Amino acid sequence: MSFDSSRRDILRNSIAFGVAGLSVAGTMSLPLLGEPLPQQAKESGDKEPEVTATEDLMREHGVIRRALLVYYEVIPKLRQNPASVDAAALQQTAKLFRTFGEDYHERMLEEQHIFPMIRKQGAGLALYADILTQQHQRGREITDYVLAVTNGGKISSLHAEPLARVFETFVLMYQNHAAREDTIVFPAWKKNFTDKQLDEIGDQFEDIEHKMFGKDGFEDAEKEISLIEGRLGFADLAQFTPPAPPKP
Ligand SMILES: [Fe+2]
Ligand SMILES: [Fe+2]
């Protein structure tokens, strides 16, 4: 996700003028919007485009949601035949939730940077910060529980129904949690900053990510959840397309 500032400025200017790369090319022939200019394409090489601070937070929610979907998908299996559930895959999912979701996204970004700021933006947002923090804490207790009951390689019939219920309530809580953050909390937080400041904060978030994971934490987390989905048979997205609804 590294991105040198000169290229960032070039792209920002291009977007501001509404003509991709006009200032770069120094020519009056106007390229189609969305079509990379030769120089721009050459410069981009293997580098990824800039990720804004809020986009970063929201795509982290994407990885978290995929972990929640793994939990959701195993609920009926836990009830029908707990011995058939791949406990190691659930353990792997809970570890990813801990390192990427709780220790990084929640603790290092939201609790350090987002919530302290929105607490100052009125009673309604301060209440959100309180509830969201309590939900982070409850989630950590739940992850401890998931790690404990999936530790033995198999899920005992004793734990199957309580774990199914924990997954049901946790998935519902976190879907609400992340959706409110995406639509209320992050947009409110973003209003405190200019585009330039947001750029700098995006870089700070990246530094935190690199310090914690040694490299690109998001890419590794995305690969990890893909592997878990593959292992559990959830890789094929088409399987989740529902049948056509009945005729009214
Ligand atoms: Fe959160
Ligand atoms: Fe979040």
PDB file of all heavy atoms in Angstrom, residues 77-89:
ATOM      1  N   LYS A  77     -24.625 -26.794  11.639  1.00  0.00           N
ATOM      2  CA  LYS A  77     -23.786 -28.008  11.764  1.00  0.00           C
ATOM      3  C   LYS A  77     -23.518 -28.337  13.236  1.00  0.00           C
ATOM      4  O   LYS A  77     -23.496 -29.504  13.630  1.00  0.00           O
ATOM      5  CB  LYS A  77     -22.454 -27.837  11.024  1.00  0.00           C
ATOM      6  CG  LYS A  77     -22.611 -27.709   9.514  1.00  0.00           C
ATOM      7  CD  LYS A  77     -21.254 -27.696   8.812  1.00  0.00           C
ATOM      8  CE  LYS A  77     -21.405 -27.573   7.315  1.00  0.00           C
ATOM      9  NZ  LYS A  77     -21.668 -26.202   6.852  1.00  0.00           N
ATOM     10  N   LEU A  78     -23.316 -27.296  14.045  1.00  0.00           N
ATOM     11  CA  LEU A  78     -23.097 -27.520  15.486  1.00  0.00           C
ATOM     12  C   LEU A  78     -24.313 -28.190  16.105  1.00  0.00           C
ATOM     13  O   LEU A  78     -24.198 -29.005  17.016  1.00  0.00           O
ATOM     14  CB  LEU A  78     -22.849 -26.173  16.198  1.00  0.00           C
ATOM     15  CG  LEU A  78     -21.446 -25.584  16.098  1.00  0.00           C
ATOM     16  CD1 LEU A  78     -21.441 -24.146  16.614  1.00  0.00           C
ATOM     17  CD2 LEU A  78     -20.435 -26.420  16.893  1.00  0.00           C
ATOM     18  N   ARG A  79     -25.496 -27.842  15.588  1.00  0.00           N
ATOM     19  CA  ARG A  79     -26.728 -28.390  16.172  1.00  0.00           C
ATOM     20  C   ARG A  79     -27.022 -29.791  15.640  1.00  0.00           C
ATOM     21  O   ARG A  79     -27.555 -30.634  16.361  1.00  0.00           O
ATOM     22  CB  ARG A  79     -27.898 -27.445  15.889  1.00  0.00           C
ATOM     23  CG  ARG A  79     -27.723 -26.146  16.661  1.00  0.00           C
ATOM     24  CD  ARG A  79     -28.977 -25.313  16.742  1.00  0.00           C
ATOM     25  NE  ARG A  79     -28.841 -24.328  17.801  1.00  0.00           N
ATOM     26  CZ  ARG A  79     -29.002 -23.024  17.642  1.00  0.00           C
ATOM     27  NH1 ARG A  79     -29.355 -22.528  16.464  1.00  0.00           N
ATOM     28  NH2 ARG A  79     -28.860 -22.209  18.670  1.00  0.00           N
ATOM     29  N   GLN A  80     -26.662 -30.023  14.367  1.00  0.00           N
ATOM     30  CA  GLN A  80     -26.988 -31.331  13.771  1.00  0.00           C
ATOM     31  C   GLN A  80     -25.955 -32.395  14.110  1.00  0.00           C
ATOM     32  O   GLN A  80     -26.296 -33.514  14.464  1.00  0.00           O
ATOM     33  CB  GLN A  80     -27.100 -31.195  12.246  1.00  0.00           C
ATOM     34  CG  GLN A  80     -28.404 -30.549  11.803  1.00  0.00           C
ATOM     35  CD  GLN A  80     -28.253 -29.804  10.484  1.00  0.00           C
ATOM     36  OE1 GLN A  80     -27.316 -30.054   9.720  1.00  0.00           O
ATOM     37  NE2 GLN A  80     -29.154 -28.866  10.211  1.00  0.00           N
ATOM     38  N   ASN A  81     -24.682 -32.036  13.949  1.00  0.00           N
ATOM     39  CA  ASN A  81     -23.633 -33.029  14.131  1.00  0.00           C
ATOM     40  C   ASN A  81     -22.324 -32.340  14.540  1.00  0.00           C
ATOM     41  O   ASN A  81     -21.438 -32.120  13.718  1.00  0.00           O
ATOM     42  CB  ASN A  81     -23.457 -33.808  12.805  1.00  0.00           C
ATOM     43  CG  ASN A  81     -22.435 -34.907  12.925  1.00  0.00           C
ATOM     44  OD1 ASN A  81     -21.959 -35.203  14.030  1.00  0.00           O
ATOM     45  ND2 ASN A  81     -22.074 -35.504  11.800  1.00  0.00           N
ATOM     46  N   PRO A  82     -22.214 -32.021  15.838  1.00  0.00           N
ATOM     47  CA  PRO A  82     -21.046 -31.241  16.290  1.00  0.00           C
ATOM     48  C   PRO A  82     -19.715 -31.925  15.987  1.00  0.00           C
ATOM     49  O   PRO A  82     -18.715 -31.244  15.764  1.00  0.00           O
ATOM     50  CB  PRO A  82     -21.258 -31.087  17.800  1.00  0.00           C
ATOM     51  CG  PRO A  82     -22.423 -31.919  18.170  1.00  0.00           C
ATOM     52  CD  PRO A  82     -23.188 -32.249  16.929  1.00  0.00           C
ATOM     53  N   ALA A  83     -19.721 -33.256  15.945  1.00  0.00           N
ATOM     54  CA  ALA A  83     -18.454 -33.968  15.691  1.00  0.00           C
ATOM     55  C   ALA A  83     -17.933 -33.692  14.285  1.00  0.00           C
ATOM     56  O   ALA A  83     -16.741 -33.844  14.014  1.00  0.00           O
ATOM     57  CB  ALA A  83     -18.658 -35.463  15.904  1.00  0.00           C
ATOM     58  N   SER A  84     -18.853 -33.283  13.372  1.00  0.00           N
ATOM     59  CA  SER A  84     -18.437 -33.040  11.983  1.00  0.00           C
ATOM     60  C   SER A  84     -17.857 -31.629  11.779  1.00  0.00           C
ATOM     61  O   SER A  84     -17.332 -31.318  10.712  1.00  0.00           O
ATOM     62  CB  SER A  84     -19.639 -33.213  11.041  1.00  0.00           C
ATOM     63  OG  SER A  84     -20.524 -32.107  11.204  1.00  0.00           O
ATOM     64  N   VAL A  85     -17.953 -30.795  12.820  1.00  0.00           N
ATOM     65  CA  VAL A  85     -17.476 -29.415  12.660  1.00  0.00           C
ATOM     66  C   VAL A  85     -15.949 -29.374  12.762  1.00  0.00           C
ATOM     67  O   VAL A  85     -15.358 -30.007  13.637  1.00  0.00           O
ATOM     68  CB  VAL A  85     -18.117 -28.500  13.747  1.00  0.00           C
ATOM     69  CG1 VAL A  85     -17.487 -27.117  13.739  1.00  0.00           C
ATOM     70  CG2 VAL A  85     -19.617 -28.404  13.528  1.00  0.00           C
ATOM     71  N   ASP A  86     -15.346 -28.654  11.829  1.00  0.00           N
ATOM     72  CA  ASP A  86     -13.885 -28.518  11.797  1.00  0.00           C
ATOM     73  C   ASP A  86     -13.460 -27.519  12.893  1.00  0.00           C
ATOM     74  O   ASP A  86     -13.438 -26.313  12.670  1.00  0.00           O
ATOM     75  CB  ASP A  86     -13.474 -28.024  10.397  1.00  0.00           C
ATOM     76  CG  ASP A  86     -11.969 -27.959  10.208  1.00  0.00           C
ATOM     77  OD1 ASP A  86     -11.239 -27.954  11.223  1.00  0.00           O
ATOM     78  OD2 ASP A  86     -11.527 -27.907   9.045  1.00  0.00           O
ATOM     79  N   ALA A  87     -13.130 -28.062  14.069  1.00  0.00           N
ATOM     80  CA  ALA A  87     -12.805 -27.199  15.214  1.00  0.00           C
ATOM     81  C   ALA A  87     -11.541 -26.382  14.945  1.00  0.00           C
ATOM     82  O   ALA A  87     -11.436 -25.221  15.375  1.00  0.00           O
ATOM     83  CB  ALA A  87     -12.623 -28.042  16.475  1.00  0.00           C
ATOM     84  N   ALA A  88     -10.590 -26.964  14.224  1.00  0.00           N
ATOM     85  CA  ALA A  88      -9.331 -26.247  13.956  1.00  0.00           C
ATOM     86  C   ALA A  88      -9.577 -25.028  13.073  1.00  0.00           C
ATOM     87  O   ALA A  88      -8.943 -23.984  13.254  1.00  0.00           O
ATOM     88  CB  ALA A  88      -8.334 -27.194  13.305  1.00  0.00           C
ATOM     89  N   ALA A  89     -10.523 -25.142  12.133  1.00  0.00           N
ATOM     90  CA  ALA A  89     -10.837 -23.994  11.272  1.00  0.00           C
ATOM     91  C   ALA A  89     -11.501 -22.881  12.089  1.00  0.00           C
ATOM     92  O   ALA A  89     -11.253 -21.698  11.848  1.00  0.00           O
ATOM     93  CB  ALA A  89     -11.741 -24.422  10.117  1.00  0.00           C
TER      94      ALA A  89
END
